Amino acid sequence: FFIFTAFQPQNIIMPPHGGCSDHVHYTSDGKEYEDHGGTLYPQIDTDKVKGLNEKKEGSAKNVIKPWDDREDDSKVVQSAEDGELIIHIPFTVQVKLKSFTVIGGNERITPRHVKLWKNRDDIDFDNAEDVSCDQEFDLSYDKDGSVQYLVKNSKFQNTSSLTMFFSGISPDNKDDEDGKTIQINYIGLRGEGTKNKHGIVVAVYEARALESEQKKLADLNISKSVK
């Protein structure tokens, strides 16, 4: 029996799972997890949030909303079938992701598990089982956002996008033809934003490469002139 308090994770170690390079350990006294960060809602490019296997196309972006609106269940996303849902969340700048919160539907339709990938917008149902994720978590039923899942900081530096693969139908739902779905009402991400916009690093490298090539050509022309 555990008691969760808002943004004060208890000393809980979630059970390990296969397929990912790391598993969650969220604890109140570990250096890796001592700072939860601030909300990353302003850094999320909401218009470009997309979902796979949505019951209603385009509804994945409904769950990206301010903290104060987290309990608003008029805008949600449901899976179309099989209780699986992939949500791709891009950021306007690179961020340091530190933790996340998930509010699902009622206990019968809340997702039970999530896998996370950093900077992998190519993840879909064809490759999700083959591509090792960065971290994965068992999810608890959370009706008000009081459970916070702390990611391993070293895994989520310089994050341009986050892909979340939700799964897990409640045992009570397996025999219910109308209930083989999962529902998410809110996803909250916390951490630190940076000033680094997408493409800057690539552009700098390309500029340096161009300067290097120009210098080589100049040296070659000088060498030919001397001869």
Side-chain angles (χ1 to χ4, degrees):
F1 176 74
F2 302 108
I3 298 176
F4 295 94
T5 56
F7 305 122
Q8 294 178 349
Q10 304 301 305
N11 292 326
I12 299 171
I13 297 179
M14 304 299 283
H17 306 281
C20 286
S21 53
D22 275 286
H23 310 295
V24 60
H25 295 258
Y26 70 93
T27 170
S28 59
D29 54 5
K31 292 182 180 179
E32 189 76 39
Y33 308 128
E34 60 187 12
D35 181 9
H36 307 158
T39 178
L40 291 174
Y41 174 73
Q43 284 80 34
I44 296 175
D45 195 346
T46 307
D47 289 339
K48 294 183 180 179
V49 171
K50 64 181 181 180
L52 298 179
N53 199 38
E54 303 163 291
K55 189 172 184 179
K56 181 180 179 181
E57 186 175 354
S59 58
K61 63 186 63 176
N62 288 343
V63 303
I64 306 299
K65 44 195 169 188
W67 170 255
D68 290 343
D69 296 335
R70 68 191 183 281
E71 295 185 63
D72 177 8
D73 59 3
S74 64
K75 294 182 178 180
V76 302
V77 60
Q78 292 184 334
S79 64
E81 56 186 19
D82 299 332
E84 294 184 337
L85 186 64
I86 293 177
I87 299 181
H88 174 65
I89 305 172
F91 299 97
T92 56
V93 295
Q94 291 182 345
V95 303
K96 299 176 182 178
L97 180 68
K98 296 187 176 183
S99 64
F100 68 93
T101 300
V102 177
I103 299 178
N106 61 47
E107 290 187 69
R108 298 180 68 236
I109 57 176
T110 194
R112 304 290 169 169
H113 190 80
V114 65
K115 292 183 178 182
L116 308 180
W117 287 268
K118 163 192 166 183
N119 302 343
R120 290 297 301 261
D121 58 2
D122 61 327
I123 297 298
D124 56 26
F125 291 107
D126 291 330
N127 61 15
E129 297 300 329
D130 299 324
V131 179
S132 180
C133 64
D134 293 301
Q135 204 165 2
E136 62 181 328
F137 300 77
D138 277 336
L139 300 176
S140 301
Y141 171 61
D142 183 10
K143 63 180 181 180
D144 57 9
S146 60
V147 181
Q148 187 176 195
Y149 301 90
L150 307 185
V151 304
K152 192 169 184 179
N153 291 344
S154 59
K155 289 287 182 180
F156 293 92
Q157 303 286 321
N158 302 317
T159 301
S160 299
S161 67
L162 180 70
T163 299
M164 309 180 79
F165 179 10
F166 295 94
S167 61
I169 301 174
S170 166
D172 296 333
N173 261 17
K174 288 184 178 179
D175 297 325
D176 184 353
E177 289 301 324
D178 295 325
K180 291 183 178 179
T181 186
I182 56 175
Q183 177 177 309
I184 299 171
N185 298 0
Y186 170 82
I187 296 176
L189 305 177
R190 295 177 68 84
E192 297 177 12
T194 71
K195 295 181 180 180
N196 298 329
K197 295 184 178 180
H198 306 321
I200 288 181
V201 174
V202 175
V204 169
Y205 281 131
E206 289 178 346
R208 287 178 179 173
L210 184 58
E211 289 175 2
S212 177
E213 290 301 319
Q214 289 175 338
K215 186 176 184 303
K216 288 180 181 179
L217 289 174
D219 291 343
L220 182 61
N221 289 334
I222 291 173
S223 176
K224 287 182 177 179
S225 299
V226 170
K227 290 180 180 179

PDB file of all heavy atoms in Angstrom, residues 118-139:
ATOM      1  N   LYS A 118      13.489   9.000 -26.958  1.00  0.00           N
ATOM      2  CA  LYS A 118      13.939  10.379 -27.178  1.00  0.00           C
ATOM      3  C   LYS A 118      14.358  10.546 -28.638  1.00  0.00           C
ATOM      4  O   LYS A 118      15.092   9.715 -29.187  1.00  0.00           O
ATOM      5  CB  LYS A 118      15.119  10.681 -26.250  1.00  0.00           C
ATOM      6  CG  LYS A 118      15.955  11.885 -26.624  1.00  0.00           C
ATOM      7  CD  LYS A 118      17.239  11.913 -25.811  1.00  0.00           C
ATOM      8  CE  LYS A 118      18.232  12.905 -26.392  1.00  0.00           C
ATOM      9  NZ  LYS A 118      19.521  12.894 -25.661  1.00  0.00           N
ATOM     10  N   ASN A 119      13.859  11.612 -29.263  1.00  0.00           N
ATOM     11  CA  ASN A 119      14.276  11.995 -30.629  1.00  0.00           C
ATOM     12  C   ASN A 119      14.089  10.865 -31.641  1.00  0.00           C
ATOM     13  O   ASN A 119      14.927  10.666 -32.523  1.00  0.00           O
ATOM     14  CB  ASN A 119      15.738  12.471 -30.642  1.00  0.00           C
ATOM     15  CG  ASN A 119      15.962  13.651 -29.715  1.00  0.00           C
ATOM     16  OD1 ASN A 119      15.021  14.316 -29.298  1.00  0.00           O
ATOM     17  ND2 ASN A 119      17.225  13.925 -29.393  1.00  0.00           N
ATOM     18  N   ARG A 120      12.989  10.140 -31.537  1.00  0.00           N
ATOM     19  CA  ARG A 120      12.688   9.069 -32.499  1.00  0.00           C
ATOM     20  C   ARG A 120      11.259   9.243 -32.999  1.00  0.00           C
ATOM     21  O   ARG A 120      10.328   8.588 -32.529  1.00  0.00           O
ATOM     22  CB  ARG A 120      12.862   7.691 -31.849  1.00  0.00           C
ATOM     23  CG  ARG A 120      14.286   7.282 -31.530  1.00  0.00           C
ATOM     24  CD  ARG A 120      15.132   7.159 -32.788  1.00  0.00           C
ATOM     25  NE  ARG A 120      14.608   6.195 -33.743  1.00  0.00           N
ATOM     26  CZ  ARG A 120      15.065   4.952 -33.870  1.00  0.00           C
ATOM     27  NH1 ARG A 120      16.045   4.522 -33.092  1.00  0.00           N
ATOM     28  NH2 ARG A 120      14.547   4.150 -34.786  1.00  0.00           N
ATOM     29  N   ASP A 121      11.092  10.131 -33.983  1.00  0.00           N
ATOM     30  CA  ASP A 121       9.751  10.370 -34.521  1.00  0.00           C
ATOM     31  C   ASP A 121       9.347   9.326 -35.552  1.00  0.00           C
ATOM     32  O   ASP A 121       8.275   9.414 -36.159  1.00  0.00           O
ATOM     33  CB  ASP A 121       9.632  11.770 -35.114  1.00  0.00           C
ATOM     34  CG  ASP A 121      10.647  12.042 -36.213  1.00  0.00           C
ATOM     35  OD1 ASP A 121      11.424  11.122 -36.535  1.00  0.00           O
ATOM     36  OD2 ASP A 121      10.659  13.166 -36.743  1.00  0.00           O
ATOM     37  N   ASP A 122      10.214   8.304 -35.735  1.00  0.00           N
ATOM     38  CA  ASP A 122       9.904   7.236 -36.682  1.00  0.00           C
ATOM     39  C   ASP A 122       9.263   6.026 -36.013  1.00  0.00           C
ATOM     40  O   ASP A 122       8.933   5.043 -36.688  1.00  0.00           O
ATOM     41  CB  ASP A 122      11.180   6.791 -37.400  1.00  0.00           C
ATOM     42  CG  ASP A 122      12.223   6.230 -36.429  1.00  0.00           C
ATOM     43  OD1 ASP A 122      12.288   6.719 -35.276  1.00  0.00           O
ATOM     44  OD2 ASP A 122      12.974   5.319 -36.813  1.00  0.00           O
ATOM     45  N   ILE A 123       9.070   6.081 -34.705  1.00  0.00           N
ATOM     46  CA  ILE A 123       8.503   4.934 -33.999  1.00  0.00           C
ATOM     47  C   ILE A 123       7.038   4.751 -34.377  1.00  0.00           C
ATOM     48  O   ILE A 123       6.242   5.688 -34.341  1.00  0.00           O
ATOM     49  CB  ILE A 123       8.629   5.109 -32.473  1.00  0.00           C
ATOM     50  CG1 ILE A 123      10.109   5.160 -32.058  1.00  0.00           C
ATOM     51  CG2 ILE A 123       7.914   3.984 -31.741  1.00  0.00           C
ATOM     52  CD1 ILE A 123      10.882   3.901 -32.363  1.00  0.00           C
ATOM     53  N   ASP A 124       6.693   3.518 -34.765  1.00  0.00           N
ATOM     54  CA  ASP A 124       5.305   3.180 -35.061  1.00  0.00           C
ATOM     55  C   ASP A 124       5.057   1.743 -34.602  1.00  0.00           C
ATOM     56  O   ASP A 124       5.917   1.131 -33.958  1.00  0.00           O
ATOM     57  CB  ASP A 124       4.989   3.367 -36.548  1.00  0.00           C
ATOM     58  CG  ASP A 124       5.909   2.566 -37.463  1.00  0.00           C
ATOM     59  OD1 ASP A 124       6.441   1.513 -37.021  1.00  0.00           O
ATOM     60  OD2 ASP A 124       6.110   2.978 -38.625  1.00  0.00           O
ATOM     61  N   PHE A 125       3.914   1.198 -34.938  1.00  0.00           N
ATOM     62  CA  PHE A 125       3.583  -0.149 -34.467  1.00  0.00           C
ATOM     63  C   PHE A 125       4.370  -1.235 -35.190  1.00  0.00           C
ATOM     64  O   PHE A 125       4.410  -2.374 -34.726  1.00  0.00           O
ATOM     65  CB  PHE A 125       2.072  -0.399 -34.595  1.00  0.00           C
ATOM     66  CG  PHE A 125       1.258   0.428 -33.644  1.00  0.00           C
ATOM     67  CD1 PHE A 125       0.510   1.501 -34.108  1.00  0.00           C
ATOM     68  CD2 PHE A 125       1.251   0.147 -32.293  1.00  0.00           C
ATOM     69  CE1 PHE A 125      -0.237   2.266 -33.229  1.00  0.00           C
ATOM     70  CE2 PHE A 125       0.512   0.912 -31.406  1.00  0.00           C
ATOM     71  CZ  PHE A 125      -0.236   1.976 -31.873  1.00  0.00           C
ATOM     72  N   ASP A 126       5.002  -0.886 -36.288  1.00  0.00           N
ATOM     73  CA  ASP A 126       5.811  -1.869 -37.012  1.00  0.00           C
ATOM     74  C   ASP A 126       7.177  -2.078 -36.375  1.00  0.00           C
ATOM     75  O   ASP A 126       7.750  -3.166 -36.465  1.00  0.00           O
ATOM     76  CB  ASP A 126       5.989  -1.439 -38.474  1.00  0.00           C
ATOM     77  CG  ASP A 126       4.697  -1.516 -39.263  1.00  0.00           C
ATOM     78  OD1 ASP A 126       3.851  -2.374 -38.922  1.00  0.00           O
ATOM     79  OD2 ASP A 126       4.518  -0.708 -40.195  1.00  0.00           O
ATOM     80  N   ASN A 127       7.712  -1.026 -35.732  1.00  0.00           N
ATOM     81  CA  ASN A 127       9.073  -1.163 -35.192  1.00  0.00           C
ATOM     82  C   ASN A 127       9.169  -0.961 -33.680  1.00  0.00           C
ATOM     83  O   ASN A 127      10.254  -1.094 -33.103  1.00  0.00           O
ATOM     84  CB  ASN A 127      10.029  -0.192 -35.890  1.00  0.00           C
ATOM     85  CG  ASN A 127       9.642   1.265 -35.695  1.00  0.00           C
ATOM     86  OD1 ASN A 127       8.827   1.607 -34.834  1.00  0.00           O
ATOM     87  ND2 ASN A 127      10.222   2.155 -36.501  1.00  0.00           N
ATOM     88  N   ALA A 128       8.070  -0.634 -33.019  1.00  0.00           N
ATOM     89  CA  ALA A 128       8.122  -0.322 -31.586  1.00  0.00           C
ATOM     90  C   ALA A 128       8.659  -1.470 -30.742  1.00  0.00           C
ATOM     91  O   ALA A 128       9.321  -1.248 -29.719  1.00  0.00           O
ATOM     92  CB  ALA A 128       6.731   0.082 -31.086  1.00  0.00           C
ATOM     93  N   GLU A 129       8.400  -2.696 -31.158  1.00  0.00           N
ATOM     94  CA  GLU A 129       8.879  -3.848 -30.389  1.00  0.00           C
ATOM     95  C   GLU A 129      10.329  -4.183 -30.701  1.00  0.00           C
ATOM     96  O   GLU A 129      10.985  -4.907 -29.940  1.00  0.00           O
ATOM     97  CB  GLU A 129       7.992  -5.071 -30.664  1.00  0.00           C
ATOM     98  CG  GLU A 129       6.540  -4.902 -30.235  1.00  0.00           C
ATOM     99  CD  GLU A 129       6.391  -4.632 -28.744  1.00  0.00           C
ATOM    100  OE1 GLU A 129       7.236  -5.128 -27.971  1.00  0.00           O
ATOM    101  OE2 GLU A 129       5.444  -3.930 -28.356  1.00  0.00           O
ATOM    102  N   ASP A 130      10.841  -3.669 -31.810  1.00  0.00           N
ATOM    103  CA  ASP A 130      12.206  -3.996 -32.223  1.00  0.00           C
ATOM    104  C   ASP A 130      13.227  -2.937 -31.819  1.00  0.00           C
ATOM    105  O   ASP A 130      14.409  -3.237 -31.642  1.00  0.00           O
ATOM    106  CB  ASP A 130      12.264  -4.174 -33.747  1.00  0.00           C
ATOM    107  CG  ASP A 130      11.370  -5.300 -34.223  1.00  0.00           C
ATOM    108  OD1 ASP A 130      11.265  -6.311 -33.507  1.00  0.00           O
ATOM    109  OD2 ASP A 130      10.762  -5.160 -35.301  1.00  0.00           O
ATOM    110  N   VAL A 131      12.787  -1.682 -31.695  1.00  0.00           N
ATOM    111  CA  VAL A 131      13.696  -0.586 -31.349  1.00  0.00           C
ATOM    112  C   VAL A 131      13.719  -0.412 -29.836  1.00  0.00           C
ATOM    113  O   VAL A 131      12.684  -0.148 -29.214  1.00  0.00           O
ATOM    114  CB  VAL A 131      13.256   0.734 -32.019  1.00  0.00           C
ATOM    115  CG1 VAL A 131      14.204   1.856 -31.615  1.00  0.00           C
ATOM    116  CG2 VAL A 131      13.210   0.580 -33.531  1.00  0.00           C
ATOM    117  N   SER A 132      14.888  -0.577 -29.252  1.00  0.00           N
ATOM    118  CA  SER A 132      15.010  -0.461 -27.804  1.00  0.00           C
ATOM    119  C   SER A 132      14.652   0.952 -27.350  1.00  0.00           C
ATOM    120  O   SER A 132      15.141   1.946 -27.889  1.00  0.00           O
ATOM    121  CB  SER A 132      16.446  -0.788 -27.380  1.00  0.00           C
ATOM    122  OG  SER A 132      16.589  -0.673 -25.986  1.00  0.00           O
ATOM    123  N   CYS A 133      13.769   1.042 -26.359  1.00  0.00           N
ATOM    124  CA  CYS A 133      13.376   2.362 -25.858  1.00  0.00           C
ATOM    125  C   CYS A 133      14.410   2.853 -24.845  1.00  0.00           C
ATOM    126  O   CYS A 133      15.296   2.121 -24.432  1.00  0.00           O
ATOM    127  CB  CYS A 133      11.984   2.306 -25.239  1.00  0.00           C
ATOM    128  SG  CYS A 133      11.851   1.262 -23.789  1.00  0.00           S
ATOM    129  N   ASP A 134      14.277   4.118 -24.459  1.00  0.00           N
ATOM    130  CA  ASP A 134      15.217   4.706 -23.505  1.00  0.00           C
ATOM    131  C   ASP A 134      14.825   4.402 -22.062  1.00  0.00           C
ATOM    132  O   ASP A 134      15.681   4.312 -21.186  1.00  0.00           O
ATOM    133  CB  ASP A 134      15.297   6.216 -23.716  1.00  0.00           C
ATOM    134  CG  ASP A 134      15.940   6.569 -25.054  1.00  0.00           C
ATOM    135  OD1 ASP A 134      17.095   6.166 -25.267  1.00  0.00           O
ATOM    136  OD2 ASP A 134      15.285   7.212 -25.891  1.00  0.00           O
ATOM    137  N   GLN A 135      13.538   4.252 -21.822  1.00  0.00           N
ATOM    138  CA  GLN A 135      13.073   3.907 -20.484  1.00  0.00           C
ATOM    139  C   GLN A 135      11.609   3.478 -20.569  1.00  0.00           C
ATOM    140  O   GLN A 135      10.892   3.865 -21.493  1.00  0.00           O
ATOM    141  CB  GLN A 135      13.219   5.099 -19.530  1.00  0.00           C
ATOM    142  CG  GLN A 135      13.323   4.707 -18.069  1.00  0.00           C
ATOM    143  CD  GLN A 135      13.830   5.832 -17.193  1.00  0.00           C
ATOM    144  OE1 GLN A 135      14.090   6.939 -17.649  1.00  0.00           O
ATOM    145  NE2 GLN A 135      13.979   5.557 -15.909  1.00  0.00           N
ATOM    146  N   GLU A 136      11.173   2.665 -19.621  1.00  0.00           N
ATOM    147  CA  GLU A 136       9.785   2.248 -19.615  1.00  0.00           C
ATOM    148  C   GLU A 136       9.272   2.182 -18.187  1.00  0.00           C
ATOM    149  O   GLU A 136      10.040   2.035 -17.233  1.00  0.00           O
ATOM    150  CB  GLU A 136       9.600   0.912 -20.329  1.00  0.00           C
ATOM    151  CG  GLU A 136      10.328  -0.263 -19.716  1.00  0.00           C
ATOM    152  CD  GLU A 136      10.098  -1.544 -20.502  1.00  0.00           C
ATOM    153  OE1 GLU A 136       9.011  -1.724 -21.097  1.00  0.00           O
ATOM    154  OE2 GLU A 136      11.002  -2.379 -20.503  1.00  0.00           O
ATOM    155  N   PHE A 137       7.960   2.303 -18.038  1.00  0.00           N
ATOM    156  CA  PHE A 137       7.337   2.412 -16.726  1.00  0.00           C
ATOM    157  C   PHE A 137       6.037   1.629 -16.672  1.00  0.00           C
ATOM    158  O   PHE A 137       5.282   1.594 -17.641  1.00  0.00           O
ATOM    159  CB  PHE A 137       6.971   3.880 -16.422  1.00  0.00           C
ATOM    160  CG  PHE A 137       8.122   4.842 -16.401  1.00  0.00           C
ATOM    161  CD1 PHE A 137       8.692   5.295 -17.582  1.00  0.00           C
ATOM    162  CD2 PHE A 137       8.619   5.328 -15.204  1.00  0.00           C
ATOM    163  CE1 PHE A 137       9.733   6.199 -17.570  1.00  0.00           C
ATOM    164  CE2 PHE A 137       9.664   6.231 -15.180  1.00  0.00           C
ATOM    165  CZ  PHE A 137      10.230   6.666 -16.355  1.00  0.00           C
ATOM    166  N   ASP A 138       5.734   1.058 -15.515  1.00  0.00           N
ATOM    167  CA  ASP A 138       4.394   0.619 -15.199  1.00  0.00           C
ATOM    168  C   ASP A 138       3.650   1.852 -14.687  1.00  0.00           C
ATOM    169  O   ASP A 138       4.204   2.636 -13.906  1.00  0.00           O
ATOM    170  CB  ASP A 138       4.401  -0.463 -14.120  1.00  0.00           C
ATOM    171  CG  ASP A 138       4.654  -1.843 -14.692  1.00  0.00           C
ATOM    172  OD1 ASP A 138       4.378  -2.061 -15.884  1.00  0.00           O
ATOM    173  OD2 ASP A 138       5.132  -2.698 -13.929  1.00  0.00           O
ATOM    174  N   LEU A 139       2.414   2.030 -15.108  1.00  0.00           N
ATOM    175  CA  LEU A 139       1.643   3.204 -14.726  1.00  0.00           C
ATOM    176  C   LEU A 139       0.594   2.850 -13.678  1.00  0.00           C
ATOM    177  O   LEU A 139      -0.051   1.811 -13.756  1.00  0.00           O
ATOM    178  CB  LEU A 139       0.953   3.819 -15.952  1.00  0.00           C
ATOM    179  CG  LEU A 139       1.878   4.292 -17.080  1.00  0.00           C
ATOM    180  CD1 LEU A 139       1.040   4.789 -18.263  1.00  0.00           C
ATOM    181  CD2 LEU A 139       2.824   5.379 -16.599  1.00  0.00           C
TER     182      LEU A 139
END
